Amino acid sequence: MNRVIDNHGRPISYLRLAVTDRCNLRCFYCMPEEGIKYVPKPHLLTWEEMERTIRILVNMGVDKVRLTGGEPFVRRGIMDFLEELNKIDGLRQINITTNGVLTAPLIPEFQRLGIKSVNLSLDTLDRQRFFDITRRDEFQNVWQTFEALQEYNIPTKLNSVVMSGKNTDDIIPMADLTRTHNVSVRFIEEMPFNGDGAHEYQEFWNYRKILEELKKTYPGIYKLPDPPASTSYNYQIPGHKGTIGIIAAFSRTFCGTCNRLRITPQGQFKTCLYDDGVFNIKDLLRQGLDDASVTQRIFEALQHRAKDGFEAEARRTVGLVSESMSTIGG
């Protein structure tokens, strides 16, 4: 299989596909309390359009797909979609990102379908703080999803956005989960994607500060080799089963090896999280373009890709980054 290389010599092998912009939580760092204006269904990619797009990208060398949202499991038909994706030759990995509210009963099906890993969003182990962050009392459902993932031995990453004045007291309790659970706990720098739901930053916790906090309790924490194209700096605490990851999402230190593309629920094709979309693939499909023509448009976009997130942000035509992660794909 020939893998497409971008204009900076980076091979492209990974698609993050947001299947919906809808979400059943209201995390303050993702969207305003009143929510966002959801896209009418006719303006979303259909399941058939998403499948066709993935088949085109697999023929270009993409072998890993992550389904995100919004919350992907609020969109009807997603399990049938996973069944169809499982039939695509050359698609080596299907991964999922979920908030876990609706997911626990589906975990046995994940195992049957061969889902390679699940990223579970969980910013705190405290029920009240969970409510304060998400504006919904759903902690127990999320925890049941975590327990089910462990029971069915599905590789799991817990994604925790670190927010000053909100959940920094949870860094150590979250890290301590790796003592008895074979799980990767990943601490993520907060990003500005909150749909104009501005909030005041008391102090920015970058990846260095997060590591310093971990070292206060775990002075023996040591660096692990980072896999190719990893977004996280990876660590282990001596004697613990699981691992720690720190993602410099706002500092943008991993752009040099980025192998990712993003497609939003509306079909915006993004070669970087921080750009505002280079074209709309839904429009191309609905204009009747054949696969070869769509492939050519994707190839051309990858030959004009920004070097990093800072360059992508500088190129934006619609001002500063402020979209909700729910509309981009978390």
Side-chain angles (χ1 to χ4, degrees), residues 157-261:
K157 297 174 182 176
L158 293 180
N159 286 348
S160 178
V161 178
V162 178
M163 300 158 283
S164 177
K166 297 289 184 178
N167 70 337
T168 52
D169 287 344
D170 284 284
I171 291 175
I172 300 308
M174 291 290 297
D176 204 50
L177 283 174
T178 67
R179 184 188 305 275
T180 54
H181 297 83
N182 185 17
V183 62
S184 174
V185 174
R186 308 200 305 172
F187 298 105
I188 305 173
E189 291 178 348
E190 188 179 2
M191 296 178 286
F193 300 101
N194 63 350
D196 291 323
H199 63 277
E200 188 174 326
Y201 290 84
Q202 297 181 16
E203 181 182 16
F204 178 61
W205 280 68
N206 67 15
Y207 65 100
R208 293 188 182 93
K209 186 173 178 61
I210 295 168
L211 181 58
E212 289 168 3
E213 183 70 14
L214 288 164
K215 284 181 174 178
K216 291 177 185 177
T217 301
Y218 307 111
I221 190 172
Y222 61 92
K223 186 76 179 64
L224 296 172
D226 297 326
S230 175
T231 57
S232 59
Y233 298 115
N234 297 290
Y235 301 86
Q236 187 143 31
I237 298 167
H240 285 213
K241 289 183 177 180
T243 60
I244 301 291
I246 304 176
I247 300 179
F250 189 67
S251 300
R252 290 166 256 190
T253 60
F254 48 78
C255 298
T257 59
C258 182
N259 64 342
R260 295 159 186 78
L261 302 172

